[in-house]
């Protein structure tokens, strides 16, 4: 069955009637139409019958086929090997009209219309399909010796393979364009003269230039200054070495500069050396790298702060306890008593600083429980109103169906208090402080923008103010210890760093949002917890040192702290067995015939740590109680050492805190476990 397609151009074919009419015979040349002796010294057979037979043979073997019709559209000849694919023999259709051949009286049928135009002196082209073969036809006027149109001549070529190749090329180009178009970055191909040969739509969309403008540009036109020189050198490197990369800022039409990572590779197309490559937007990567560097810096500072606090706490323990004990032995009128109180108060302020350093470095021992963050805010509300002053309005917006969190209530109070104080100091002329809570279901997109946050369910605490705000440079440093924008003597620079440490140690995340003159907002995200919530109430130990009469085995490698603890405990009635380390403590235990009621041990010691010592003693003395002390409360050290109970005392401690904690540990019923 014949199927006809649209018009398309095919190569011209010199009509054979000119040969038959003797205008130009086979083998003849212009100026020698009869094929006589030439300058080459040869002659050709000029017999008309031989020439006609030769021509018919050639035409009959041509890969396409040729035909002629008269003015009545009746076939007068048909030759060509392709006729056989149509089920025809040479000249089989001679005498048949086109209407008869196509079994149609429609003069507008594509092949009939094409021949009718040829009779009017016009050329036509069309396509048709026969089975799985495709043909392209060209029809033009057939003229007699006088130049009058006496019919039409047509030629058809089998274009099946060409069409298949064309379709394959079209599909490959389509997929190629789709692939390059789907790239998240840029794709480009340019030659050695700097002319763009191909590019994807992103190049136009991201730079603001139209396709017509890009076609007239060179790769260097997208860069300025040092970046332009870098790209020029990079292109030269690609042509010389075959490959190149570069990180530079691409400048769009409106002047926006965007960092990109460019690649280029040398290819040869149609004997032309070209560079093909891609470019990836580095904005997100640089943002993540900046966040990672900041996180690593904070982690390093935290480790340093924790190490300083550890050693400092041992010193403060001695200063604080000795000054308090000496002051207690002097009368109210003794002038030395006031001096000792000043020493004690200074040591307490120093101890506060070390606690803040430990909070920042996430090296505190927390006592988390499942609770409602709303309860913490409500408990603090009256205190906050007194803290911020009458010229600042306090507003709370609490989610009534707030999810639970698992955190230390005292540390949550510290977070809120420090953020409130920070907001108050940013509003010296008064303003508005807002505290809000809400549930937050964090998805992948938000988490990617807030690295290293992970998707999940969180409880959000937001503290915002209408103060002076912060610029980007200040925001990069606000969580660093001792960084402050306040005048000298107005702040230590540890408030926000302590907030940061508590949040991180609680498994949460904190983000600051601010613009100069637009106030500031801190958002804290705590992981959602499962379980029953409890109200947040802080319990403060008060009262005087509690006496005792039990025997305490004291293991402490710091001499001054060990001597101080022994003195404090002996003064209130305890029997103290003093050991400089774990090995000596075990030896003392083996040689002591009486009971040992409590092991008071430092966590980190040479030879054996406190946990290992406690395990060994528990085998020898199953009813012994354990109390750990340490000035370096790193969770990496304490995890698996201190138990889930309240069996830990942090340095520096006062005599009262030590005796109360010892009494508390001794009064717990023995379980046979440490």
């Amino acid at each position: 069955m014949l199927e006809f397609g649209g018009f398309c151009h095919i190569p011209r074919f010199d009509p054979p009637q000119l040969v038959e009419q003797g205008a130009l015979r086979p083998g003849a040349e212009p100026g020698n139409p009869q094929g006589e002796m030439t300058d080459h010294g040869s002659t050709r057979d000029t017999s008309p019958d031989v020439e006609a037979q030769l021509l018919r043979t050639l035409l009959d073997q041509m890969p396409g086929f040729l035909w002629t019709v008269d003015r009545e559209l009746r076939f007068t000849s048909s030759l060509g090997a392709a006729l056989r694919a149509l089920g025809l023999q040479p000249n089989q259709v001679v005498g048949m009209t086109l209407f008869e051949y196509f079994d149609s009286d429609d003069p507008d049928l594509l092949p009939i219309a094409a021949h009718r135009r040829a009779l009017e002196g016009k050329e036509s082209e069309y396509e048709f399909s026969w089975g799985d073969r495709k043909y392209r036809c060209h029809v033009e006027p057939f003229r007699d010796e006088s130049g009058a149109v006496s019919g039409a001549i047509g030629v058809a070529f089998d274009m099946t393979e060409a069409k298949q190749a064309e379709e394959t090329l079209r599909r490959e180009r389509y997929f190629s364009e789709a692939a390059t178009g789907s790239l998240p970055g840029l794709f480009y191909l340019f030659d050695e003269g700097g002319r763009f040969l191909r590019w994807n739509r992103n190049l136009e969309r991201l730079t603001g230039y139209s396709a017509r403008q890009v076609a007239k540009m060179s790769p260097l036109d997208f860069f300025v200054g040092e970046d332009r020189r870098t790209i020029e050198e990079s292109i030269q490197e690609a042509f010389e070495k075959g490959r190149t990369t570069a990180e530079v800022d691409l400048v769009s039409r409106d002047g926006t500069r965007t960092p990109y990572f460019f690649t280029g590779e040398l290819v040869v197309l149609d004997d032309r050396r070209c560079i093909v490559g891609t470019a990836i937007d580095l904005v997100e990567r640089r943002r993540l790298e900046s966040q990672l560097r900041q996180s690593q810096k904070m982690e390093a500072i935290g480790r340093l702060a924790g190490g300083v606090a550890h050693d400092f706490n041992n010193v403060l323990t001695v200063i604080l306890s000795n000054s308090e004990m000496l002051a207690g032995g002097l009368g109210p009128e003794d002038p030395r008593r006031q001096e000792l109180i000043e020493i004690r108060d200074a040591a307490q302020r120093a101890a506060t600083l070390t606690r803040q350093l430990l909070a920042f470095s996430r090296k505190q021992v927390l006592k988390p429980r499942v609770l409602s963050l709303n309860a913490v805010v409500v408990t603090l509300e009256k205190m906050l109103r007194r803290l911020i002053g009458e010229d600042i309005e306090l507003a709370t917006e609490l989610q009534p169906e707030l999810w639970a969190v698992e955190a230390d209530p005292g540390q949550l109070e510290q977070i809120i208090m420090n953020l409130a104080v920070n907001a108050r100091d940013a509003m010296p002329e008064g303003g508005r402080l807002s505290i809000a809570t809400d549930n937050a279901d964090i998805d992948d997109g938000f988490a990617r923008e807030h690295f290293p946050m992970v998707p999940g369910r969180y409880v959000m605490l937001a503290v915002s103010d209408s103060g002076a705000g912060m610029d980007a440079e200040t925001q990069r440093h606000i969580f660093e210890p001792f960084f402050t924008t306040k005048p000298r003597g107005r702040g230590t620079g540890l408030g926000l760093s302590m907030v940061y440490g508590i949040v991180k140690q609680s498994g949460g995340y904190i983000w600051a949002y601010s613009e100069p003159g637009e106030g500031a907002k801190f958002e804290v995200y705590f992981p959602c917890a499962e379980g029953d919530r409890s109200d947040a109430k802080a319990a403060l130990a008060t009262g005087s040192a509690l006496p005792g009469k039990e025997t305490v085995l004291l293991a402490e490698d710091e001499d001054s702290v060990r001597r101080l603890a022994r003195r404090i405990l002996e003064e209130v009635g305890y029997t103290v067995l003093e050991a400089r380390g774990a090995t000596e403590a075990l030896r003392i235990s083996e040689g002591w015939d009486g009971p040992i009621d409590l092991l008071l041990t430092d966590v980190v010691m040479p030879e054996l740590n406190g946990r290992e010592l406690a395990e060994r003693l528990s085998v020898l003395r199953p009813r012994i109680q354990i109390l750990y002390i340490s000035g370096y409360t790193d969770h990496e050290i304490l995890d698996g050492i201190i138990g889930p109970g309240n069996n830990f005392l942090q340095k520096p401690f006062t005599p009262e805190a030590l005796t109360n904690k010892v009494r508390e540990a001794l009064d717990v019923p023995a379980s046979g476990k440490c």
Side-chain angles (χ1 to χ4, degrees):
M1 180 178 179
L2 293 172
E3 297 178 3
F4 303 104
F7 294 107
C8 56
H9 179 72
I10 62 173
R12 293 290 303 274
F13 184 87
D14 292 329
Q17 73 268 24
L18 298 181
V19 178
E20 295 178 359
Q21 294 167 356
L24 185 64
R25 298 165 58 167
E29 300 174 358
N32 186 21
Q34 301 304 318
E36 297 174 352
M37 180 75 72
T38 66
D39 293 337
H40 304 295
S42 64
T43 59
R44 295 184 177 89
D45 187 345
T46 58
S47 168
D49 292 339
V50 174
E51 292 175 351
Q53 182 61 39
L54 176 61
L55 181 58
R56 288 191 182 93
T57 300
L58 291 174
L59 292 176
D60 195 40
Q61 293 176 354
M62 65 181 289
F65 56 91
L66 177 145
W67 67 93
T68 56
V69 297
D70 58 19
R71 292 197 62 86
E72 282 73 36
L73 300 182
R74 190 179 305 277
F75 285 102
T76 57
S77 65
S78 61
L79 297 168
L83 285 172
R84 297 175 181 83
L86 301 178
L88 300 173
Q89 297 299 320
N91 291 322
Q92 181 178 343
V93 295
V94 171
M96 184 183 296
T97 66
L98 291 174
F99 294 99
E100 293 171 335
Y101 179 77
F102 292 110
D103 192 21
S104 173
D105 57 0
D106 182 6
D108 294 324
L109 187 67
L110 190 58
I112 297 175
H115 288 77
R116 292 178 62 198
R117 281 192 291 272
L119 296 179
E120 296 172 358
K122 303 173 184 176
E123 298 180 5
S124 297
E125 293 172 354
Y126 64 93
E127 295 178 357
F128 75 90
S129 299
W130 179 262
D132 60 351
R133 311 302 295 178
K134 299 182 183 298
Y135 297 89
R136 183 175 298 171
C137 306
H138 176 84
V139 182
E140 63 179 47
F142 186 102
R143 300 179 184 275
D144 60 18
E145 294 181 357
S146 66
V149 177
S150 59
I153 183 170
V155 62
F157 291 101
D158 188 339
M159 303 299 294
T160 305
E161 284 73 18
K163 282 288 185 180
Q164 290 173 346
E166 182 180 310
E167 178 62 19
T168 299
L169 183 61
R170 186 194 66 80
R171 285 199 302 266
E172 289 179 351
R173 185 174 184 85
Y174 170 79
F175 286 125
S176 174
E177 290 178 352
T180 58
S182 66
L183 291 173
L186 310 178
F187 169 81
Y188 42 84
L189 173 69
F190 58 88
D191 61 18
E192 204 162 5
R195 292 179 294 274
F196 281 104
L197 305 179
R198 286 192 68 183
W199 60 90
N200 63 352
R201 294 278 182 165
N202 280 348
L203 186 62
E204 303 165 23
R205 182 176 61 83
L206 297 174
T207 64
Y209 291 102
S210 67
R212 182 174 298 180
Q213 290 171 320
V214 173
K216 297 178 181 179
M217 300 172 69
S218 83
L220 298 179
D221 294 336
F222 294 97
F223 308 93
V224 296
E226 186 63 32
D227 286 345
R228 184 184 177 97
R229 286 188 290 273
T230 299
I231 284 294
E232 190 171 14
E233 294 171 358
S234 183
I235 292 174
Q236 183 177 354
E237 179 183 46
F239 279 115
E240 292 176 354
K241 300 181 179 180
R243 183 172 296 180
T244 190
T245 60
E247 287 191 20
V248 290
D249 288 350
L250 182 143
V251 182
S252 62
R253 188 177 182 183
D254 62 4
T256 302
R257 299 172 68 106
T258 306
Y260 275 88
F261 177 75
F262 290 86
T263 65
E265 190 160 335
L266 178 65
V267 295
V268 179
L269 302 175
D270 299 330
D271 297 328
R272 281 194 296 179
R273 300 198 326 149
C274 304
I275 299 297
V276 62
T278 60
I280 301 174
D281 186 340
L282 294 179
V283 173
E284 179 68 8
R285 193 183 84 177
R286 289 188 178 180
R287 184 182 68 82
L288 293 176
E289 287 176 346
S290 176
Q291 290 181 343
L292 179 60
R293 285 194 297 271
Q294 180 71 5
S295 176
Q296 291 172 335
K297 180 174 69 174
M298 299 293 281
E299 186 68 27
I301 295 174
R303 286 195 296 269
L304 174 63
V308 170
H310 166 237
D311 293 334
F312 200 39
N313 276 337
N314 282 328
V315 177
L316 287 175
T317 298
V318 177
I319 296 173
L320 186 61
S321 296
N322 276 298
S323 60
E324 195 164 293
M325 293 173 67
L326 286 172
L330 299 175
E333 304 301 325
D334 194 317
R336 293 173 298 175
R337 177 182 174 84
Q338 186 58 39
E339 294 172 352
L340 287 169
I341 290 175
E342 291 291 338
I343 294 173
R344 182 200 63 188
D345 291 345
Q348 288 176 337
R349 289 194 297 273
T352 300
L353 291 178
T354 60
R355 282 195 296 272
Q356 291 174 324
L357 284 172
L358 287 169
F360 167 74
S361 61
R362 291 170 267 169
K363 301 188 185 325
Q364 299 184 105
V365 177
L366 302 183
K367 301 174 184 177
R369 64 172 182 261
V370 178
L371 52 83
S372 169
L373 189 55
N374 285 348
V376 180
V377 176
V378 171
T379 300
L380 287 178
E381 193 167 350
K382 290 184 180 179
M383 183 186 300
L384 289 175
R385 292 187 188 278
R386 293 194 300 269
L387 180 68
I388 62 178
E390 296 181 354
D391 57 345
I392 295 178
E393 175 191 359
L394 175 63
T396 59
E397 185 177 347
L398 308 181
Q399 163 65 253
E401 302 297 328
L402 193 67
W403 297 331
V405 298
E406 185 174 7
D408 185 318
Q411 298 302 317
L412 292 181
E413 291 178 357
Q414 287 293 320
I415 291 173
I416 297 172
M417 293 283 287
N418 277 280
L419 291 177
V421 169
N422 190 69
R424 179 201 65 188
D425 294 343
M427 300 182 288
E429 306 299 325
R432 178 184 173 88
L433 170 64
S434 300
I435 300 177
T437 61
D438 203 357
N439 300 320
D441 203 343
I442 301 303
D443 58 17
D444 291 335
F446 188 90
R448 280 195 301 269
E449 294 177 2
H450 296 77
F451 178 84
M453 204 172 188
V454 295
R457 299 174 66 192
Y458 292 83
V459 175
M460 190 265 294
L461 168 71
V463 179
S464 55
D465 64 68
S466 58
M470 299 175 285
D471 58 24
E473 181 63 23
T474 300
Q475 290 183 61
R476 278 193 285 270
H477 300 284
I478 54 175
F479 295 122
E480 297 175 8
F482 307 111
F483 175 82
T484 180
T485 58
K486 299 174 185 177
R488 182 180 295 274
R490 291 288 302 277
T492 63
L494 286 172
L496 288 179
S497 66
M498 182 171 68
V499 169
Y500 178 88
I502 295 173
V503 170
K504 290 296 183 182
Q505 192 175 356
S506 302
Y509 304 91
I510 183 169
W511 307 98
Y513 305 92
S514 184
E515 294 287 345
E518 300 295 329
K521 181 179 182 180
F522 289 84
E523 289 185 357
V524 184
Y525 293 85
F526 296 102
C528 175
E530 301 296 334
D532 296 330
R533 293 173 292 189
S534 60
D535 292 335
K537 296 181 180 179
L540 300 178
T542 59
S544 59
L546 298 177
K549 58 182 179 179
E550 292 89 348
T551 299
V552 177
L553 176 57
L554 171 61
E556 167 65 65
D557 61 323
E558 183 69 33
D559 293 341
S560 58
V561 175
R562 186 181 64 257
R563 288 193 297 266
L564 173 66
R566 177 175 184 170
R567 177 184 170 190
I568 294 171
L569 294 176
E570 287 180 339
E571 285 186 358
V572 295
Y574 292 100
T575 299
V576 179
L577 307 176
E578 185 179 350
R580 294 181 177 84
T583 302
E584 186 175 350
L586 289 171
R587 187 168 58 252
I588 291 174
S589 174
E590 292 173 357
W592 182 259
D593 294 332
I596 297 179
D597 303 286
L598 176 72
L599 169 65
L600 176 61
T601 178
D602 193 11
V603 173
V604 180
M605 296 183 295
E607 301 172 337
L608 299 175
N609 63 38
R611 175 68 174 186
E612 294 167 333
L613 172 61
E615 288 176 346
R616 294 196 182 187
L617 280 178
S618 295
V619 174
L620 301 173
R621 299 176 180 269
R623 301 186 63 82
I624 194 171
Q625 300 289 5
I626 309 297
L627 176 61
Y628 296 100
I629 55 175
S630 181
Y632 187 49
T633 56
D634 190 343
H635 266 273
E636 293 179 358
I637 297 174
L638 297 183
D639 282 348
I641 295 182
I642 64 173
N646 197 17
N647 63 335
F648 177 77
L649 176 63
Q650 183 175 327
K651 301 174 184 177
F653 50 76
T654 64
E656 180 182 335
L658 175 61
T659 56
N660 287 346
K661 200 69 178 178
V662 167
R663 187 72 264 158
E664 180 182 336
L666 286 168
D667 290 341
V668 174
S671 63
K673 296 181 180 179
C674 52

